[in-house]
Amino acid sequence: MKDDNYTINSGHLDVGDGHQIYYQEWGDKTAAPILSFHGGPGSATKNKHKNIFDPKKHHVIFFDQRGCGNSKYIDPLKNNTTQHLCRDAIRLLDYLSVDKAHIYGYSWGSTLALYFATKHTSKVSSMIIGGVFLGTNEEINYLFNGGYKEFAPEAWDYYCEP
């Protein structure tokens, strides 16, 4: 994710265990904060993720999870659990002096957002989640073992190409 005209602040936050997470505050600093959990796992925030927000109305906190995107690490998988990822989100909110945020998550980020909200209810103003992915065997088989080729054969062919 690149800084642009609406970037308020960006950088890396040391969250321990050899990990530094990349973050970017974006939009209107006076608006209520929205904490965005990206999909994956193993993916990253991307510039296109900004497209659903209005920088003149929203204050979004994007961050790359441990072992992902622009985050820095010694070993991307070491000390990288759901619990670690949620603790990192709390550390980031505390670092940015955010007491409470709206939570946005999609795909794997929806799973993290739901987990985060159950563990840190006092930090959550509201939630918007989409494309819920819970990592069940059925979901994994559907995504990675050809389950969706019946509905989207072109997408499946593109996925298999490499």
Side-chain angles (χ1 to χ4, degrees):
M1 178 169 274
K2 296 191 185 282
D3 288 352
D4 63 24
N5 294 348
Y6 297 105
T7 301
I8 300 164
N9 183 21
S10 66
H12 288 89
L13 175 65
D14 189 338
V15 291
D17 304 317
H19 290 274
Q20 294 179 26
I21 59 169
Y22 171 79
Y23 69 91
Q24 183 182 110
E25 273 189 286
W26 182 84
D28 179 0
K29 179 73 172 174
T30 65
I34 301 167
L35 181 63
S36 178
F37 288 89
H38 68 72
S43 188
T45 54
K46 298 174 177 74
N47 286 321
K48 70 180 182 179
H49 295 153
K50 296 175 180 177
N51 293 340
I52 65 164
F53 300 104
D54 182 341
K56 295 177 182 169
K57 294 181 182 177
H58 299 123
H59 171 202
V60 187
I61 302 164
F62 296 101
F63 72 102
D64 286 341
Q65 298 153 17
R66 288 179 181 222
C68 296
N70 290 318
S71 289
K72 298 177 182 179
Y73 46 85
I74 297 167
D75 180 335
L77 299 178
K78 189 169 182 173
N79 298 310
N80 191 345
T81 65
T82 302
Q83 294 79 14
H84 285 100
L85 300 176
C86 285
R87 277 195 299 257
D88 294 349
I90 287 293
R91 287 182 179 139
L92 180 58
L93 291 175
D94 290 346
Y95 175 74
L96 298 174
S97 300
V98 173
D99 294 324
K100 205 168 195 173
H102 300 284
I103 305 300
Y104 175 78
Y106 50 92
S107 189
W108 163 247
S110 69
T111 305
L112 286 178
L114 289 166
Y115 182 84
F116 179 87
T118 63
K119 298 297 181 186
H120 304 287
T121 56
S122 66
K123 291 285 196 181
V124 179
S125 296
S126 69
M127 296 182 69
I128 299 173
I129 58 173
V132 177
F133 176 79
L134 299 177
T136 64
N137 285 335
E138 291 83 7
E139 288 174 313
I140 291 167
N141 284 333
Y142 182 80
L143 287 173
F144 302 115
N145 294 325
Y148 72 88
K149 69 181 169 187
E150 177 181 331
F151 301 102
E154 298 85 11
W156 178 253
D157 290 344
Y158 179 77
Y159 172 75
C160 290
E161 211 168 273

